[in-house]
Amino acid sequence: MTSFDDQQQPVVEHTENIKCTSCGGNTEYNPESKGLKCPFCGHEMPIEATYNHTVELDFESAGNSRNHLWQEEKRVFQCQNCGAESVLDANVVADFCSFCGSSHISVTEKDAGIQPGLLIPFQISQDQALDKFRVWIKGHFFAPTQLKKTYRLHKISGAYLPYWTYDSHTQSHYVVRVGNYYYETVTRTVYEDGKPKQVTEQVQKIRWHQESGNYREFFDDVLIKASSTVEPKLLQKVQPFQLTSLTDYKLEYMSGFLAERYQTSLQQGFTEAQDVMKNGITRGIERSVAGDIVQVVNLSTDYTNITYKHILLPIWISSFHFNQKVYQFIVNGQTGKVSGNYPLSIMKIVFVSISVLIVLLMVYLFLES
């Protein structure tokens, strides 16, 4: 039967402790009320959302300034099993990794790095995330029937994943190979009932030539994931996040949740962003050059006025056991979209395959009769 495995599950440490003004207990951010709520007395404290940090930061000077580092005293905890690095208060001790459940946690010498300027606060509560998981697991026909009754669900944890966004003006010089269709009339001999017959038809051909030119494009908020902890395919399936909901990073939004330290550096992230921009530039050039076929054969791009933002995006993450195997799943903390791994029933797959073959065979026999 479904249950929480309390003895082996990761303990979610609070990244921030903000005291309740009523009883003095530690409050937690409540996605449903979008404010702080005390789990002891139920007192709620509103959070005023602000939007002062939407300004872009200069990429070139990022490594020479400490103005954008974490201002609060932080420690970085690293999981020796999955490599996840969590940013926690200096006085917090992490017992388990919230990403994989491992107890092999150590304090590293790394600093917390660049503080996020913006985040999307959780809008899906833990209870809502669990409900969405249950609906998701029941909706998979090819999962074993027994799975829906006997899986053991681990403790679900709310975590903010780190991302970079980049803006850049680009100016590119390109060389393209351009093909234009033309048609030639061709007469050929075909045989019908053993007799030759002359057939005239239009045959499509391509005339190629080479062109060069310049192309400019501005890229705004190219989003690059700075975490390697969550399986990329799972994360891709719960996207997109609605970045219009980004608000200023505040301690209150972090209360009761984890913040993962970025594993992709600012410079590495821009290298990935350049690949995204290059693809966009290539598509833009192909659209702007007149021709039936346009192939970019050479491209040289200058990137100027590069800016960035460090943002945090919310997910609920957990896993479940079935037949002594662990399957991870995640829930988008903003939209509630679910993605995860699950076992497949070989019997169901075989049954459906045989059923499809029988139907196809019956259709074939009917058409042949």
Side-chain angles (χ1 to χ4, degrees), residues 173-202:
H173 179 76
Y174 63 83
V175 177
V176 293
R177 187 169 176 251
V178 182
N180 290 299
Y181 297 138
Y182 70 97
Y183 295 86
E184 289 185 352
T185 301
V186 176
T187 300
R188 59 189 181 90
T189 301
V190 298
Y191 289 86
E192 291 184 2
D193 299 326
K195 297 179 180 180
K197 178 181 178 182
Q198 297 296 311
V199 175
T200 300
E201 59 186 3
Q202 297 290 307

Side-chain angles (χ1 to χ4, degrees), residues 26-86:
N26 292 332
T27 60
E28 297 179 356
Y29 176 70
N30 182 6
E32 294 179 296
S33 66
K34 298 180 174 57
L36 292 172
K37 185 174 183 178
C38 178
F40 303 101
C41 70
H43 179 65
E44 296 193 11
M45 301 160 56
I47 302 173
E48 182 183 358
T50 59
Y51 308 91
N52 300 320
H53 294 91
T54 55
V55 63
E56 304 286 340
L57 304 176
D58 181 59
F59 177 78
E60 300 297 336
S61 62
N64 302 320
S65 172
R66 299 190 61 82
N67 294 335
H68 304 300
L69 300 183
W70 289 87
Q71 299 303 310
E72 303 86 18
E73 188 177 357
K74 301 289 181 184
R75 287 196 297 178
V76 177
F77 292 83
Q78 184 177 55
C79 174
Q80 303 303 310
N81 182 49
C82 72
E85 294 179 342
S86 300

Side-chain angles (χ1 to χ4, degrees), residues 36-331:
L36 292 172
K37 185 174 183 178
C38 178
F40 303 101
C41 70
H43 179 65
E44 296 193 11
M45 301 160 56
I47 302 173
E48 182 183 358
T50 59
Y51 308 91
N52 300 320
H53 294 91
T54 55
V55 63
E56 304 286 340
L57 304 176
D58 181 59
F59 177 78
E60 300 297 336
S61 62
N64 302 320
S65 172
R66 299 190 61 82
N67 294 335
H68 304 300
L69 300 183
W70 289 87
Q71 299 303 310
E72 303 86 18
E73 188 177 357
K74 301 289 181 184
R75 287 196 297 178
V76 177
F77 292 83
Q78 184 177 55
C79 174
Q80 303 303 310
N81 182 49
C82 72
E85 294 179 342
S86 300
V87 180
L88 302 176
D89 281 348
N91 62 342
V92 171
V93 176
D95 295 325
F96 291 90
C97 174
S98 290
F99 292 93
C100 71
S102 172
S103 60
H104 301 289
I105 303 294
S106 63
V107 180
T108 77
E109 297 299 322
K110 293 182 179 179
D111 61 52
I114 299 173
Q115 177 175 296
L118 299 163
L119 56 74
I120 295 179
F122 275 85
Q123 298 177 28
I124 300 296
S125 69
Q126 184 182 70
D127 288 341
Q128 290 172 327
L130 288 170
D131 288 341
K132 290 181 180 298
F133 164 74
R134 295 185 184 106
V135 171
W136 172 81
I137 199 67
K138 290 179 181 179
H140 286 83
F141 173 79
F142 286 108
T145 302
Q146 188 183 12
L147 169 67
K148 300 160 189 178
K149 300 178 181 179
T150 61
Y151 68 83
R152 289 190 298 112
L153 183 64
H154 287 182
K155 187 175 180 65
I156 189 168
S157 304
Y160 284 101
L161 297 187
Y163 283 77
W164 302 110
T165 70
Y166 299 91
D167 291 4
S168 181
H169 290 270
T170 65
Q171 180 169 325
S172 305
H173 179 76
Y174 63 83
V175 177
V176 293
R177 187 169 176 251
V178 182
N180 290 299
Y181 297 138
Y182 70 97
Y183 295 86
E184 289 185 352
T185 301
V186 176
T187 300
R188 59 189 181 90
T189 301
V190 298
Y191 289 86
E192 291 184 2
D193 299 326
K195 297 179 180 180
K197 178 181 178 182
Q198 297 296 311
V199 175
T200 300
E201 59 186 3
Q202 297 290 307
V203 177
Q204 184 188 81
K205 295 190 176 183
I206 304 174
R207 184 177 291 111
W208 294 96
H209 70 277
Q210 188 167 288
E211 295 182 16
S212 62
N214 297 305
Y215 178 84
R216 290 184 176 88
E217 186 171 353
F218 171 71
F219 289 88
D220 182 39
D221 283 344
V222 176
L223 186 67
I224 300 298
K225 179 170 64 73
S227 166
S228 59
T229 305
V230 180
E231 187 177 331
K233 290 183 179 179
L234 296 186
L235 200 54
Q236 186 176 13
K237 289 180 180 178
V238 301
Q239 292 178 346
F241 291 89
Q242 306 302 321
L243 298 185
T244 53
S245 298
L246 283 167
T247 62
D248 288 342
Y249 162 84
K250 288 186 176 182
L251 302 182
E252 289 86 346
Y253 293 123
M254 305 295 295
S255 185
F257 296 93
L258 288 173
E260 185 187 4
R261 185 188 187 277
Y262 52 83
Q263 298 177 10
T264 299
S265 70
L266 181 63
Q267 290 72 24
Q268 290 171 331
F270 184 65
T271 299
E272 294 183 27
Q274 283 178 301
D275 292 335
V276 175
M277 295 180 202
K278 182 178 179 181
N279 290 333
I281 291 168
T282 299
R283 292 193 299 269
I285 292 171
E286 291 172 347
R287 289 192 299 266
S288 65
V289 175
D292 296 313
I293 303 175
V294 179
Q295 299 174 344
V296 177
V297 296
N298 190 279
L299 181 64
S300 176
T301 301
D302 292 326
Y303 300 88
T304 57
N305 299 323
I306 306 166
T307 58
Y308 75 94
K309 294 193 294 285
H310 178 205
I311 67 175
L312 298 177
L313 302 180
I315 66 163
W316 290 101
I317 183 170
S318 187
S319 58
F320 60 92
H321 270 89
F322 180 73
N323 286 348
Q324 300 182 338
K325 290 186 178 181
V326 179
Y327 300 88
Q328 189 182 63
F329 74 93
I330 60 175
V331 180

